Amino acid sequence: MCKTLFCLLFITIPQSSFYKCKEDPKLIRAIVKVESRGYARAMSKSAGAVGLMQVMPKSFRRWCRYKDPLCTSLLLYPPLNMSEGCRILWRWKRRSRGNLRRALQAYNCGNRGLRDECGVGYANNVLRRVRR
């Protein structure tokens, strides 16, 4: 089993598996700006999210075991973090039936963003940056 970051990135996870983001680049840039201010090694103290798009390691379980410290290291790799962030946003957009505002709320709050007004400020902030 791989124990090094290099091994995990280039042997265990084939590069072709990186999700090709189909979202508007302005939208992704706005999310990165709001989530991490463009700092690739950003780590949320309260929620535990990491990287440019502040992906939660637990949402990345298909590659890592729960609470695996290597998983957090993997998510600090910008192409993988962006890939996962785009994949998560796409899933929320699909679950919200194409409603981008609701998808952004859910990206910020999880299922609560689809049900109530959680994440409205976050969604407005991202959409405001997209329009600039």
Side-chain angles (χ1 to χ4, degrees):
M1 175 161 169
C2 288
K3 297 261 184 207
T4 66
L5 182 59
F6 177 83
C7 179
L8 285 167
L9 286 176
F10 297 104
I11 297 170
T12 308
I13 302 173
Q15 294 293 315
S16 62
S17 70
F18 287 156
Y19 177 76
K20 304 287 187 257
C21 193
K22 295 174 182 80
E23 296 297 332
D24 178 7
K26 287 182 182 178
L27 173 64
I28 300 306
R29 268 195 301 273
I31 292 171
V32 167
K33 194 75 169 167
V34 170
E35 289 286 352
S36 66
R37 295 190 174 120
Y39 180 56
R41 300 191 61 79
M43 298 184 91
S44 167
K45 288 180 176 67
S46 59
V50 298
L52 288 169
M53 293 188 74
Q54 291 292 283
V55 174
M56 297 289 286
K58 68 181 179 183
S59 68
F60 191 56
R61 280 195 199 139
R62 70 175 194 277
W63 297 115
C64 304
R65 284 188 298 274
Y66 186 62
K67 294 192 177 181
D68 184 350
L70 284 175
C71 187
T72 301
S73 298
L74 274 175
L75 285 172
L76 290 173
Y77 180 59
L80 188 58
N81 187 279
M82 299 285 287
S83 173
E84 278 305 298
C86 284
R87 186 187 314 272
I88 291 165
L89 179 63
W90 177 81
R91 268 195 238 125
W92 285 123
K93 201 170 170 185
R94 192 179 69 201
R95 286 186 63 192
S96 66
R97 295 185 180 96
N99 184 329
L100 181 58
R101 182 176 302 278
R102 281 283 187 204
L104 287 168
Q105 286 177 234
Y107 188 86
N108 184 246
C109 294
N111 284 325
R112 285 182 36 223
L114 295 177
R115 289 192 309 266
D116 56 31
E117 297 304 310
C118 179
V120 170
Y122 170 82
N124 290 339
N125 193 2
V126 170
L127 292 172
R128 194 175 320 113
R129 288 175 186 271
V130 171
R131 288 186 215 113
R132 286 185 189 168

